[in-house]
């Protein structure tokens, strides 16, 4: 589908229309709300029964403190034409701020832009957010774009190749057709309009996705065949790096473009502006792509076409057409390259290529701080088989070079900051990561990939099923209510893992959570790791070094050979998290790595036991997801043992 018509802009008293002969986009003026999308004979792809402010809009959540706050649509107060010619129209809907608005709106200048190009089956949107140093500080937990599509037309949703399905109607979530579950987002469909959905759970968090995999998602209408897709060609403006999890599309039908969010991370992820701190950031552009079939083709084939268009958009990044000077073009950006190597003396005497490692530039900070950054930009790539990496199209600025690699613990940060200049190309040479290592590995549980995906995920209770995830190859953990299966599987006793006999894929539950009693209360749970030590006894000899326990992700309390809860633990993380990953069907939250020094005098010859206690018991979603646990021998040990 194409058109040779140039782009036309029609300006009325209360709205504007962008028209390129393929689609018409209607936006309220000066508010900047998308009220209509006309395409392929359909008058409006959006839900026209909704108020005009409730169809297509930017919104945010802000507060003076904390990760929750006031939610509101971003409504412009002035309209202007930025570019108008046959090839392109770009329009602006801007909202300013002054002290008279203190407490009513966040202290931000927000410029929402919409772009339509000639012979382009869709439109672009981006936002320029600016906070001046003299303005009052605030927190910004969330920024997104929302599209609410016609519920009569869009019934099929696709997030990835193996996560797509026909979806329930929004009416099915009503009180008369559903039963509320543990939190408002989750309902059990008891009397849906379409009987095929009866007995299923609907929950928007079941369709979340990591940033690195979240490039295109959307909806399909069968009659006529129309697809509505949100394409994000770059992660540079998203918070939290590649593995930050975000919402996608869900029942409504709703399509989201998430820029800032604290989901699966908690308060640490919230963008917090400090007194006297200026801030400016461009969010987007993202592309809303519309497609249709030819000659009566299968509507579901629109997903494949959307993926092809996504590849085109990725290849075109950074776009050459946004008019804002705050969006640097390709020639105004820089490049960095090098070779990522790993040297773990228990794996190899020499450095080995960091095959598959993730290497990125992010704002200067501590090791791993990129995963909670939202103020700046991030640029990531994956090293090839020989460890070589190249990151192109980097905005000018000061960064740290960070890296991590599945199969090895921890995070890497290059020693000094890196300055990217316009048009520059920097070769870092060999970048060598030395993962944390105290001594040879005595035993390990799990595989260090920053998730709990390798552990035991139980079958869902048939009462709370989502048919999409039955026997799903990589998303079984997205079923509702898996946290309650722990009490069913361990009604009286907790996990006991015996090194050398147990299998972490079968015997280590994916989440360490409290147990629900018959009275409906929750009690702490203590998991045990049993292991044998051949030659170290209760000794205080100075020539016997200490052991080291490494726990990737988190734990609450660790005791050795002493289950007495009243005794002081060898180690405690304190209260951490608040990311609600378990309740939102995630398989990881923020990555944390703890080191627990284990004096040799605490170990016995023969069987020893580590006790891991999860003490937070206010509800079913308070828990821990382990990535990897490893016990290392003293560094004086003669050689590295083979990894179990």
């Amino acid at each position: 589908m194409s058109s040779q018509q140039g782009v036309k802009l029609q300006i009325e008293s209360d709205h504007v229309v962008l028209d390129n002969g393929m689609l018409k986009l209607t936006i309220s003026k000066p508010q900047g709300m998308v009220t209509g999308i006309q395409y392929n004979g359909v008058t409006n792809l959006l839900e026209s029964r909704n108020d005009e402010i409730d169809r297509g809009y930017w919104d945010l959540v802000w507060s003076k403190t904390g990760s929750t706050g006031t939610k509101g649509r971003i409504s412009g107060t002035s309209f202007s034409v930025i570019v108008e010619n046959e090839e392109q129209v770009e329009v602006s809907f801007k909202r300013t701020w002054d002290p008279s608005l203190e407490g009513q709106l966040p202290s931000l200048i927000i410029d929402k832009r919409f772009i339509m190009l000639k012979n382009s089956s869709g439109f672009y949107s981006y936002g320029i957010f600016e906070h001046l140093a003299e303005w009052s500080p605030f927190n910004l937990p969330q920024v997104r774009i929302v599209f609410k599509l016609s519920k009569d037309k869009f019934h099929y949703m696709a997030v990835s190749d193996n996560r797509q399905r026909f979806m329930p109607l929004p009416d099915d979530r009503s009180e008369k057709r559903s039963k509320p579950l543990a939190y408002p987002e989750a309902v059990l469909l008891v009397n849906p309009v379409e009987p095929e959905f009866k007995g299923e759970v609907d929950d928007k968090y079941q369709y979340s996705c990591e940033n690195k995999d979240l490039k295109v998602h959307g909806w399909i209408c069968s009659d006529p065949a129309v697809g509505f897709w949100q394409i994000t060609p770059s992660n540079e403006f998203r918070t939290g790096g590649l593995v930050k999890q975000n919402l996608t599309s869900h029942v409504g039908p709703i399509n989201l473009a998430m820029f800032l969010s604290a989901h699966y991370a908690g308060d640490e992820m919230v963008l917090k502006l400090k007194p006297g701190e200026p801030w400016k950031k461009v969010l987007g552009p993202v592309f809303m792509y519309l497609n249709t079939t030819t000659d009566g083709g299968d509507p579901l084939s629109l997903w494949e076409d959307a993926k092809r268009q996504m590849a085109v958009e990725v290849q075109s990044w950074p776009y050459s057409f946004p008019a804002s000077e705050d969006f640097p073009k390709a020639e105004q950006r820089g490049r960095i390259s090098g070779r990522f190597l790993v040297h773990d003396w228990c794996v190899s005497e020499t450095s080995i290529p960091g095959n598959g490692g993730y290497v990125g530039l992010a704002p200067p900070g501590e090791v791993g701080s990129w995963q909670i950054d939202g103020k700046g930009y991030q640029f990531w790539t994956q090293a090839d088989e020989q460890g070589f990496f190249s990151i192109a199209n980097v905005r000018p600025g000061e960064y740290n070079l960070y890296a991590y690699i599945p199969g090895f613990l921890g995070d890497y940060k290059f020693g000094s900051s890196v300055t990217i200049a316009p048009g520059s190309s920097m070769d870092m040479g060999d970048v060598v990561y030395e993962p944390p290592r105290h001594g040879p590995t005595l035993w390990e549980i799990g595989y260090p990939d920053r998730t709990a995906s390798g552990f035991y995920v139980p079958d869902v209770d048939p009462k709370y099923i989502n048919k999409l995830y039955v026997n799903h190859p990589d998303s079984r953990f997205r079923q509702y209510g898996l946290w309650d299966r722990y009490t069913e599987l361990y009604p009286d006793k907790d996990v006991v893992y015996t090194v050398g006999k147990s299998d972490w894929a079968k015997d280590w539950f994916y989440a360490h959570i409290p147990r629900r009693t018959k009275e409906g209360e929750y009690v702490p749970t203590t998991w045990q790791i049993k292991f044998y030590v051949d030659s170290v006894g209760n000794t205080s000899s100075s020539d016997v070094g200490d052991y080291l326990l490494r726990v990737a992700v988190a734990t609450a309390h660790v005791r050795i050979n002493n289950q007495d809860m009243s005794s002081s633990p060898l180690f405690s993380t304190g209260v951490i998290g608040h990311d609600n990953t378990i309740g939102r069907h995630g398989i990881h939250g923020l990555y944390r790595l703890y080191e627990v020094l284990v004096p040799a005098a605490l170990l016995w010859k023969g069987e020893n036991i580590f006790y891991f206690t999860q003490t937070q018991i206010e509800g079913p979603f308070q828990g821990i997801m382990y990535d990897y646990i490893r016990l290392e021998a003293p560094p004086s040990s003669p050689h590295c043992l083979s990894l179990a």
Side-chain angles (χ1 to χ4, degrees):
M1 186 176 181
S2 63
S3 173
Q4 296 307 309
Q5 173 187 310
V7 188
K8 297 179 180 179
L9 175 63
Q10 178 183 344
I11 302 176
E12 303 293 343
S13 60
D14 61 353
H15 69 276
V16 299
V17 179
L18 285 66
D19 180 1
N20 66 0
M22 301 175 69
L23 71 148
K24 289 184 179 180
L25 177 67
T26 303
I27 310 174
S28 65
K29 177 170 77 75
Q31 297 86 0
M33 309 296 181
V34 179
T35 61
I37 303 173
Q38 183 176 325
Y39 176 77
N40 196 33
V42 181
T43 302
N44 197 352
L45 301 183
L46 303 179
E47 183 50 71
S48 56
R49 284 169 288 202
N50 287 4
D51 292 339
E52 289 195 345
I53 64 169
D54 193 32
R55 299 178 187 176
Y57 53 88
W58 284 70
D59 72 3
L60 55 74
V61 176
W62 74 284
S63 67
K64 286 296 184 181
T65 59
S67 58
T68 60
T70 302
K71 182 177 180 179
R73 291 170 176 77
I74 302 172
S75 182
T77 55
S78 66
F79 164 78
S80 61
V81 178
I82 305 299
V83 177
E84 183 182 8
N85 57 52
E86 285 196 351
E87 300 297 323
Q88 172 181 343
V89 167
E90 179 170 343
V91 290
S92 164
F93 303 86
K94 194 171 185 178
R95 183 175 87 185
T96 58
W97 190 89
D98 63 64
S100 68
L101 298 172
E102 182 69 50
Q104 303 175 46
L105 296 172
S107 49
L108 281 170
I109 299 171
I110 302 175
D111 188 354
K112 299 184 297 180
R113 301 284 184 94
F114 292 88
I115 301 172
M116 183 176 286
L117 304 179
K118 181 180 180 180
N119 201 28
S120 174
S121 187
F123 60 95
Y124 299 84
S125 187
Y126 67 105
I128 307 164
F129 286 62
E130 183 175 14
H131 171 80
L132 303 184
E134 61 267 26
W135 289 349
S136 58
F138 66 96
N139 292 351
L140 192 62
Q142 179 171 284
V143 178
R144 63 182 187 172
I145 304 176
V146 182
F147 288 100
K148 297 183 176 180
L149 306 179
S150 169
K151 69 177 183 180
D152 294 335
K153 295 189 176 297
F154 291 94
H155 299 151
Y156 190 88
M157 189 183 82
V159 176
S160 68
D161 285 336
N162 62 7
R163 297 176 67 196
Q164 49 184 274
R165 59 168 293 176
F166 285 100
M167 296 291 285
L169 295 171
D171 301 17
D172 293 336
R173 294 180 56 90
S174 66
E175 290 185 6
K176 68 178 182 179
R177 294 189 177 276
S178 69
K179 176 183 176 182
L181 294 175
Y183 44 86
E185 293 85 355
V187 297
L188 179 65
L189 307 180
V190 295
N191 184 31
V193 175
E194 299 291 339
E196 65 184 281
F197 299 116
K198 185 175 182 179
E200 285 202 68
V201 168
D202 179 65
D203 181 353
K204 66 180 182 181
Y205 292 112
Q206 292 181 317
Y207 304 102
S208 297
C209 188
E210 290 183 346
N211 284 340
K212 65 181 175 61
D213 303 316
L214 185 51
K215 297 178 181 178
V216 57
H217 64 95
W219 291 84
I220 294 174
C221 166
S222 297
D223 185 20
V226 171
F228 182 99
W229 309 99
Q230 190 269 116
I231 295 176
T232 302
S234 171
N235 284 308
E236 69 177 52
F237 44 79
R238 284 173 165 164
T239 56
L242 294 181
V243 294
K244 168 71 173 70
Q245 298 166 93
N246 273 313
L247 293 171
T248 58
S249 292
H250 59 268
V251 164
I254 290 175
N255 178 275
L256 301 174
M258 302 296 299
F259 299 109
L260 278 68
S261 94
H263 294 138
Y264 303 94
D267 184 68
E268 291 174 88
M269 176 62 75
V270 173
L271 191 156
K272 300 179 178 73
L273 293 172
K274 303 173 183 176
E277 179 183 15
W279 176 68
K280 192 173 191 179
K281 188 172 184 178
V282 176
L283 303 179
V286 294
F287 184 43
M288 272 54 71
Y289 176 59
L290 311 178
N291 59 356
T292 187
T293 60
T294 58
D295 303 324
D298 181 3
L300 300 189
S301 68
L302 295 175
W303 166 249
E304 295 299 324
D305 177 70
K307 289 196 298 179
R308 286 191 289 270
Q309 186 63 40
M310 176 269 290
V312 171
E313 301 298 323
V314 170
Q315 188 65 32
S316 302
W317 188 268
Y319 296 134
S320 61
F321 50 81
S324 172
E325 294 181 355
D326 294 308
F327 184 79
K329 310 305 186 288
E331 63 274 13
Q332 299 170 307
R333 297 179 177 227
R335 174 189 295 269
I336 190 169
S337 60
R339 191 182 189 200
F340 180 51
L341 303 174
V342 181
H343 185 207
D344 181 340
W345 57 269
C346 269
V347 175
S348 173
E349 292 183 358
T350 60
S351 298
I352 61 175
N355 179 17
Y358 293 93
V359 184
L361 293 175
E366 301 299 321
V367 174
S369 61
W370 54 266
Q371 67 175 334
I372 57 172
D373 179 76
K375 293 178 181 177
Y377 301 93
Q378 300 196 29
F379 304 86
W380 289 88
T381 192
Q382 200 165 11
D384 67 15
E385 292 182 356
Q386 299 302 315
F388 290 104
F389 66 90
S390 179
I391 306 174
N393 299 314
V394 180
R395 284 171 162 266
E398 184 183 5
Y399 301 91
N400 277 141
L401 181 74
Y402 302 94
Y404 63 95
I405 179 169
F408 294 90
L409 278 172
D411 281 278
Y412 170 82
K413 188 185 87 166
F414 188 72
S416 58
S417 62
V418 174
T419 299
I420 301 296
S424 66
S425 182
M426 180 182 299
D427 186 352
M428 299 290 290
D430 288 347
V431 174
V432 182
Y433 172 46
E434 297 184 359
R437 174 66 71 176
H438 176 76
T441 298
L442 292 181
W443 52 259
E444 62 182 351
I445 299 175
Y447 175 78
D449 64 357
R450 309 170 82 94
T451 80
S453 59
F455 298 128
Y456 176 68
V457 177
D459 291 333
V460 64
D461 186 327
K463 294 184 297 184
Y464 301 119
I465 201 167
N466 181 320
K467 293 177 183 177
L468 175 62
Y469 297 122
V470 175
N471 298 321
H472 198 278
D474 53 35
S475 294
R476 283 166 45 89
F477 59 86
R478 298 190 185 278
Q479 295 279 16
Y480 176 88
L482 298 182
W483 49 85
D484 281 335
R485 296 302 320 279
Y486 181 80
T487 298
E488 297 170 15
L489 294 169
Y490 298 91
D492 303 310
K493 298 181 180 179
D494 292 314
V495 168
V496 177
Y497 188 94
T498 301
V499 173
K501 295 181 180 179
S502 299
D503 179 352
W504 68 64
K506 299 177 181 179
D507 303 317
W508 191 271
F509 201 75
Y510 82 106
H512 189 169
I513 48 183
R515 179 186 294 103
R516 188 184 68 255
T517 66
K518 295 179 180 179
E519 292 74 27
E521 298 178 347
Y522 291 90
V523 296
T525 50
T526 297
W527 292 9
Q528 300 180 35
I529 300 176
K530 294 184 177 181
F531 62 98
Y532 287 80
V533 175
D534 294 330
S535 59
V536 176
N538 279 323
T539 176
S540 57
S541 174
S542 60
D543 62 355
V544 178
D546 293 328
Y547 292 69
L548 191 76
L549 179 70
R550 298 191 190 275
V551 183
V553 175
T555 186
H557 293 317
V558 178
R559 291 177 175 80
I560 300 177
N561 296 326
N562 184 0
Q563 194 176 3
D564 183 5
M565 286 283 289
S566 63
S567 65
S568 298
L570 181 67
F571 172 79
S572 176
T573 65
V575 179
I576 58 173
H578 302 293
D579 54 30
N580 211 8
T581 295
I582 294 171
R584 288 172 172 165
H585 322 294
I587 200 64
H588 70 85
L590 295 178
Y591 179 79
R592 307 170 196 268
L593 178 60
Y594 295 99
E595 299 180 354
V596 184
L597 195 66
V598 181
L602 294 181
L603 298 179
W604 303 329
K605 182 178 180 180
E607 183 180 81
N608 291 262
I609 304 176
F610 284 154
Y611 297 94
F612 288 69
T613 302
Q614 202 297 100
T615 60
Q616 300 298 307
I617 57 173
E618 284 78 11
F621 309 131
Q622 291 182 307
I624 303 151
M625 286 184 173
Y626 301 97
D627 166 40
Y628 178 72
I629 302 174
R630 183 171 78 199
L631 181 64
E632 298 175 13
S636 58
S637 299
H639 62 276
C640 279
L641 303 180
S642 298
L643 297 180

